């Protein structure tokens, strides 16, 4: 499965086609799905570009993206930077009127289990975000919620092309045996080497402007769809080899 990560915690100043407003996220999602993405991850954003869990912003974003990419699972972040107090995050989740299909929970952040349980209570599937170098894998594997998540996001925080693959392999070893399907991805210069490793391991993966602004040849991507197209080409080449 290939997921597209449309924007992340980036500022629109970082890329001229970074989607922020609901209509921009909708158009980006539709183009990425047309290019081959099977799942969407996004960060709802306030008008100024900051990530938000506000129920009105989540509702407007979900309605627009769901209309543009009908039938495609859509997930959002619950990262602590959106709302630092875990209790406030739980309160916001309980106030959402339009629900995403899934939401990511970074397991190294305070209150991760509370946030995950709040999502599960509302029927929202959980992606357990396990960042390399945080020790989150041990916390997750000991969590009573480990068998209740949709998937494990194995997130490689080594941003170098040379080191990311080794970091990813070490993270996968520490997660083994994972209690749920693993989606492996990297970021910055490590994004494409980690995607290649995911394909070799037959794991789910993702690509998009959240993870990298660059195509495999180093050129800046025009948009999310161009990144997805490049990833799909690699997936097809792997399948035919």
């Amino acid at each position: 499965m290939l997921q597209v990560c449309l924007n992340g915690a980036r500022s629109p100043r970082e890329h001229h086609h970074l989607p922020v407003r609901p209509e921009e996220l909708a158009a980006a999602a539709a183009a990425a799905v047309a290019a081959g993405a099977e799942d969407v991850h996004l960060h709802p954003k306030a008008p100024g570009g900051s990530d938000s869990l506000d129920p009105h912003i989540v509702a407007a974003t979900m309605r627009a993206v769901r209309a543009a990419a009908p039938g495609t699972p859509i997930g959002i972040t619950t990262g602590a930077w959106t709302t630092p107090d875990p209790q406030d995050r739980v309160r916001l989740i309980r106030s959402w009127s339009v629900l995403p299909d899934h939401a990511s929970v970074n397991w190294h952040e305070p209150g991760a289990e509370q946030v995950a349980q709040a999502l599960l209570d509302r029927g929202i599937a959980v992606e357990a975000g396990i960042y390399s170098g945080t020790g989150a894998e041990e916390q997750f594997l000991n969590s009573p919620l480990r068998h209740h998540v949709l998937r494990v996001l194995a997130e490689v925080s080594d941003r170098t092309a040379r080191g990311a693959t080794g970091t990813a392999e070490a993270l996968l070893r520490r997660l083994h045996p994972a209690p749920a399907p693993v989606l492996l991805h990297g970021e910055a210069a490590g994004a494409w080497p980690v995607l290649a490793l995911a394909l070799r391991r037959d794991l789910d993966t993702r690509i998009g402007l959240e993870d990298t602004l660059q195509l495999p040849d180093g050129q800046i991507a025009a948009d999310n769809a161009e990144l997805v197209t490049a990833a799909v080409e690699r997936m097809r080449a792997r399948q035919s080899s």
Side-chain angles (χ1 to χ4, degrees):
M1 185 272 287
L2 178 64
Q3 182 182 82
V4 62
C5 47
L6 293 177
N7 53 2
R10 293 186 184 275
S11 160
R13 293 187 295 273
E14 296 180 63
H15 192 280
H16 63 292
H17 275 166
L18 187 84
V20 174
R21 297 191 299 272
E23 63 272 22
E24 294 170 344
L25 286 160
V33 169
E38 301 162 81
D39 191 286
V40 174
H41 171 78
L42 59 87
H43 292 205
K45 290 185 180 286
S50 59
D51 291 359
S52 176
L53 300 183
D54 177 272
H56 301 292
I57 292 172
V58 170
T61 300
M62 288 303 306
R63 288 193 185 102
V65 177
R66 201 163 264 152
T72 303
I74 301 165
I76 68 176
T77 186
T78 64
W81 61 87
T82 64
T83 309
D85 188 324
Q87 293 302 321
D88 288 340
R89 265 177 285 151
V90 167
R91 176 182 54 79
L92 287 167
I93 290 166
R94 289 174 177 163
S95 72
W96 290 346
S97 59
V98 180
L99 305 182
D101 298 289
H102 52 77
S104 60
V105 178
N106 300 323
W107 227 261
H108 65 282
E109 294 175 349
E113 288 193 359
Q114 297 168 272
V115 172
Q117 188 62 63
L119 293 166
L120 293 170
D121 289 346
R122 299 220 59 195
I124 302 168
V126 171
E127 296 180 308
I130 312 299
Y131 280 75
S132 63
T134 64
E137 64 276 7
E138 183 175 355
Q139 299 171 46
F140 173 68
L141 292 175
N142 289 323
S143 170
L145 299 181
R146 65 190 181 279
H147 294 296
H148 299 279
V149 303
L150 172 66
R151 65 176 65 96
V152 176
L153 295 180
E155 311 204 33
V156 180
S157 54
D158 187 329
R159 299 167 63 87
T160 67
R162 177 172 295 182
T165 300
T167 301
E169 289 173 335
L171 179 59
L172 292 174
R173 286 194 297 271
R174 290 195 295 273
L175 281 168
H176 185 76
V182 173
L183 187 159
L184 177 68
H185 74 97
E187 57 185 46
W192 291 105
V194 172
L195 184 141
L197 174 63
L199 297 183
R200 292 195 298 272
R201 295 286 192 94
D202 293 321
L203 298 174
D204 295 338
T205 191
R206 79 179 201 186
I207 202 69
L209 293 176
E210 173 172 355
D211 288 346
T212 183
L213 304 181
Q214 294 181 307
L215 295 164
D217 64 3
Q219 296 295 309
I220 299 298
D223 52 24
N224 282 288
E226 189 171 24
L227 290 168
V228 170
T229 297
V232 169
E233 289 173 353
R234 276 150 184 74
M235 295 173 75
R236 289 174 178 164
R238 175 70 182 171
Q239 290 165 356
S240 62
S241 63

